[in-house]
């Protein structure tokens, strides 16, 4: 991998939050970046699956959209079947840099 090479998603900015909610047909999401919002639905799991399965799939989707490893802390929302995830970006290269 070449250092300094920009990923096409870099124009979206830093990932900040993820909203996950159940509809009758699918689990839907909105991912908030500092420069944009991306929304859609999860093709898997099905709408009748457990929330933890949807959160796992949403986590994977968030990493795909941001192009980097993420940590998501999920909290239930006041609305039934809605969750809000606070996103923390993990370092892409954990190797310490020395001057």
């Amino acid at each position: 991998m070449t250092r300094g090479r920009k990923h096409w998603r870099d124009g979206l900015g830093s990932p900040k939050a993820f909203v996950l909610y159940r509809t009758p047909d699918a689990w839907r999401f909105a991912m908030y970046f500092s420069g944009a919002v991306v929304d859609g639905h999860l093709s898997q799991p099905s709408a009748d699956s457990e929330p933890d399965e949807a959160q796992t799939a949403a986590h994977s989707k968030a990493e795909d959209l941001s192009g980097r490893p993420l940590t998501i802390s999920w909290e239930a929302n006041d609305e039934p079947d809605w969750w809000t995830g606070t996103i923390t970006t993990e370092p892409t290269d954990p190797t310490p840099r020395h001057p």
Side-chain angles (χ1 to χ4, degrees), residues 38-68:
V38 176
D39 65 348
H41 73 280
L42 300 174
S43 57
Q44 291 294 325
S46 64
D48 61 350
S49 65
E50 293 297 318
D52 61 332
E53 290 178 63
Q55 289 171 353
T56 299
H59 189 145
S60 179
K61 183 67 152 182
E63 290 184 338
D64 288 347
L65 290 170
S66 66
R68 60 189 101 170

Side-chain angles (χ1 to χ4, degrees), residues 5-79:
R5 187 170 146 188
K6 294 189 78 78
H7 193 274
W8 71 267
R9 294 174 181 98
D10 288 346
L12 298 175
S14 298
K16 302 292 183 190
F18 200 98
V19 176
L20 177 65
Y21 57 100
R22 187 190 325 242
T23 65
D25 299 326
W27 284 97
R28 296 200 53 82
F29 68 88
M31 186 169 174
Y32 296 83
F33 292 84
S34 58
V37 177
V38 176
D39 65 348
H41 73 280
L42 300 174
S43 57
Q44 291 294 325
S46 64
D48 61 350
S49 65
E50 293 297 318
D52 61 332
E53 290 178 63
Q55 289 171 353
T56 299
H59 189 145
S60 179
K61 183 67 152 182
E63 290 184 338
D64 288 347
L65 290 170
S66 66
R68 60 189 101 170
L70 303 172
T71 298
I72 302 178
S73 302
W74 294 102
E75 292 183 31
N77 196 304
D78 292 339
E79 297 291 323

